[in-house]
Amino acid sequence: MRVEIWSDIACPWCYVGKARFEKALAAFPHRDQVEVVHRSFELDPGRAKGDVQPVLTMLTRKYGMSEAQAQAGEDNLGAQAAAEGLDYRTRDRDHGNTFDLHRLLHLAKERGRQDELIQILYRANFAEERSLFSEGDERLVELAVEAGLDAGAVREVLADPAAYADEVRADEREAAELGANGVPFYVLDRAYGVSGAQPAEVFAQALTRAWGDRSPLTLIDEGGAEACGPDGCAVPQN
């Protein structure tokens, strides 16, 4: 079974939702037969790469809330994260464009290190004092190397704005086609969708239902056509 997760590194509920989903997945009896793939979704695609601002400033301008309301929301998210065993800085975080992060996640997917990188990027954005957005490309190289990627390959991707750009855009188009207008958004075997950072119990129910509803293979065998197997290939008889 395949689970696809559309998310953004700038999304706090994606950070919390990942922990809740993984709690459900760890207890799922068929865990070893579940493939998890992370897909790209930008919450702020129009933001310029160098446009970095405090999270509270972004929230007050984007949603028209007061700074006190924005801070209360951050405090609530901090409590939600702590309940899942996650560190979350409720003060002095910043916000920026995540397109390069998504491009690196596609590189990591090719190298089999996608889950490692996304978790490191979440930690860097939500839990660490150093900025994920204002320290330049070398900060991203450092984090990608921590995830097991080659520094040279990472620098090549960051130096080429076209590298994996099509893959990111394809993910985003697919999200729109599936009806996802927010993240996190989970798709199980292209049969079930789960929206938002649901409790672990909801994810557990979704995994169980999706596994149980998988369609059995229907074999179409008209007249025993020739095939190859462990013992060799059928030889046509005249």
Side-chain angles (χ1 to χ4, degrees):
M1 185 167 71
R2 173 183 255 206
V3 178
E4 297 162 277
I5 305 174
W6 272 264
S7 59
D8 192 8
I9 300 302
C11 165
W13 288 117
C14 297
Y15 178 48
V16 173
K18 185 175 187 292
R20 293 175 178 174
F21 172 76
E22 288 178 347
K23 185 181 296 183
L25 187 60
F28 187 56
H30 310 287
R31 169 64 186 93
D32 292 343
Q33 299 177 64
V34 177
E35 176 192 14
V36 178
V37 178
H38 297 282
R39 301 287 192 190
S40 299
F41 189 107
E42 293 172 276
L43 288 173
D44 201 357
R47 181 176 292 273
K49 180 176 179 179
D51 184 5
V52 181
Q53 64 183 168
V55 166
L56 291 188
T57 301
M58 179 273 293
L59 292 172
T60 57
R61 292 178 179 176
K62 187 172 184 178
Y63 300 106
M65 61 177 65
S66 69
E67 185 169 319
Q69 289 172 319
Q71 186 59 66
E74 282 293 284
D75 291 340
N76 176 59
L77 279 162
Q80 297 276 351
E84 303 302 331
L86 301 171
D87 292 329
Y88 189 101
R89 295 179 67 239
T90 60
R91 302 290 192 279
D92 302 322
R93 289 195 306 108
D94 60 14
H95 176 79
N97 179 283
T98 59
F99 189 62
D100 282 350
L101 307 182
H102 286 295
R103 295 195 301 118
L104 290 180
L105 285 167
H106 277 278
L107 169 67
K109 179 176 180 290
E110 280 191 357
R111 307 297 167 88
R113 308 300 295 176
Q114 190 185 46
D115 193 70
E116 289 82 357
L117 180 58
I118 198 169
Q119 189 61 37
I120 287 170
L121 293 177
Y122 277 141
R123 184 201 72 206
N125 187 42
F126 293 108
E128 295 184 355
E129 291 188 12
R130 294 178 62 190
S131 172
L132 186 61
F133 302 106
S134 64
E135 292 193 22
D137 287 351
E138 283 306 302
R139 171 68 167 146
L140 302 186
V141 173
E142 172 190 323
L143 294 168
V145 168
E146 183 182 343
L149 297 177
D150 175 73
V154 173
R155 290 191 181 97
E156 286 181 9
V157 170
L158 293 173
D160 178 6
Y164 299 101
D166 289 345
E167 287 82 350
V168 175
R169 298 305 185 209
D171 277 358
E172 293 174 337
R173 285 194 301 272
E174 196 164 12
E177 291 166 1
L178 291 169
N181 52 19
V183 286
F185 187 70
Y186 305 76
V187 176
L188 290 74
D189 255 3
R190 290 300 169 111
Y192 293 94
V194 179
S195 180
Q198 299 286 347
E201 294 78 10
V202 174
F203 286 124
Q205 292 167 8
L207 287 166
T208 299
R209 185 170 180 181
W211 182 268
D213 286 357
R214 290 175 306 145
S215 299
L217 181 69
T218 300
L219 182 63
I220 299 174
D221 185 5
E222 297 290 343
E226 292 83 0
C228 294
D231 297 325
C233 298
V235 179
Q237 302 295 319
N238 293 327

